[in-house]
Amino acid sequence: MPKVGMKPLRKEQLINATLESIAQYGLQKTTIITISKIAGLSSGIISHYFDGKQGLVDATVKHLLEQLKLALLEKIEQKDLSALERLHMIVEANFTPFQRSIPATKTWISFWAQSMHEPGLARLQHINSKRLYSNLLFSFRQLLNDELASSAAKQMAAMIDGFWLRSALSATPENEFKQAEQLCKKFINDLTQQNGDVTCP
């Protein structure tokens, strides 16, 4: 009889092993065998918990998305944040040490490429993009009129994704990630200052 609490622990082990396997071998060469070896668990347990490799890959992507969500919630849980501070927190949540780690970056890049071919992954990508845009729009609407807020949210979302991708593919990712975060914040500051005369009451 399995011990109480072992299922969540085993799932976490397998998700972490999937991240590591994708970092080492890429998504296409990651198999149930490579994952189980890294996790130190039998390959049968993957089918038991996730119905095979694709189910585990989906769960791993959902884990990345959940970490983004939790990072933001952790940063904005304090009360009375200004809209500008909240925008900075959204940027920081996308550039946390976890999201900059090699397993996470390689998995994200593999996920984006595969989402063009897998409807399930494409749905997760849509959810991710929509969530980022909605969070940005909510804060920009407190600083700008609706038209400018929508434009700013689209630009900022594209900058976050673009800078993140360029940094992940860079020969010096750590430095690039730090600079990317600073440039995203500078864009927010410059935009809100330039359009201070059209802020909403």
Side-chain angles (χ1 to χ4, degrees):
M1 188 176 204
K3 295 180 181 178
V4 175
M6 287 302 290
K7 183 176 180 179
L9 178 62
R10 290 287 183 259
K11 284 189 170 184
E12 183 179 356
Q13 283 180 274
L14 290 169
I15 286 171
N16 288 335
T18 303
L19 287 167
E20 187 59 40
S21 180
I22 293 173
Q24 289 186 39
Y25 307 110
L27 181 58
Q28 295 303 319
K29 292 185 179 180
T30 284
T31 65
I32 288 177
I33 293 175
T34 64
I35 295 168
S36 61
K37 282 184 176 180
I38 292 172
L41 298 170
S42 67
S43 58
I45 202 168
I46 294 176
S47 296
H48 176 68
Y49 285 141
F50 298 101
D51 294 326
K53 175 189 168 181
Q54 190 57 49
L56 181 49
V57 169
D58 290 349
T60 302
V61 173
K62 289 177 182 177
H63 173 71
L64 292 177
L65 294 172
E66 184 67 13
Q67 292 305 306
L68 266 179
K69 179 182 176 182
L70 292 175
L72 179 57
L73 290 175
E74 183 179 338
K75 288 178 178 296
I76 65 174
E77 64 181 358
Q78 50 187 305
K79 305 295 182 181
D80 301 323
L81 284 176
S82 69
L84 188 60
E85 288 172 330
R86 192 175 188 277
L87 285 166
H88 283 197
M89 297 298 180
I90 294 171
V91 172
E92 290 178 11
N94 282 271
F95 291 96
T96 61
F98 173 77
Q99 297 297 344
R100 300 196 310 258
S101 67
I102 291 176
T105 56
K106 291 192 175 183
T107 300
W108 271 119
I109 293 170
S110 296
F111 157 60
W112 283 333
Q114 195 63 22
S115 67
M116 293 187 288
H117 309 285
E118 293 283 346
L121 295 181
R123 182 182 62 83
L124 291 176
Q125 170 58 18
H126 176 72
I127 291 171
N128 181 42
S129 296
K130 186 176 180 180
R131 180 186 295 168
L132 176 59
Y133 172 74
S134 296
N135 282 330
L136 291 166
L137 182 61
F138 174 82
S139 293
F140 273 123
R141 275 180 170 165
Q142 298 173 48
L143 299 168
L144 308 169
N145 64 37
D146 283 351
E147 182 179 356
L148 284 173
S150 177
S151 177
K154 289 177 182 177
Q155 290 180 73
M156 190 71 259
M159 286 185 70
I160 289 173
D161 287 344
F163 272 131
W164 187 95
L165 181 59
R166 288 174 66 92
S167 299
L169 295 174
S170 168
T172 56
E174 192 59 33
N175 291 334
E176 292 295 325
F177 274 124
K178 290 178 181 178
Q179 187 178 42
E181 182 177 331
Q182 293 170 355
L183 288 171
C184 286
K185 290 180 178 179
K186 185 177 185 302
F187 171 81
I188 292 169
N189 294 341
D190 290 347
L191 183 67
T192 53
Q193 288 172 10
Q194 290 168 9
N195 295 282
D197 57 332
V198 292
T199 54
C200 298

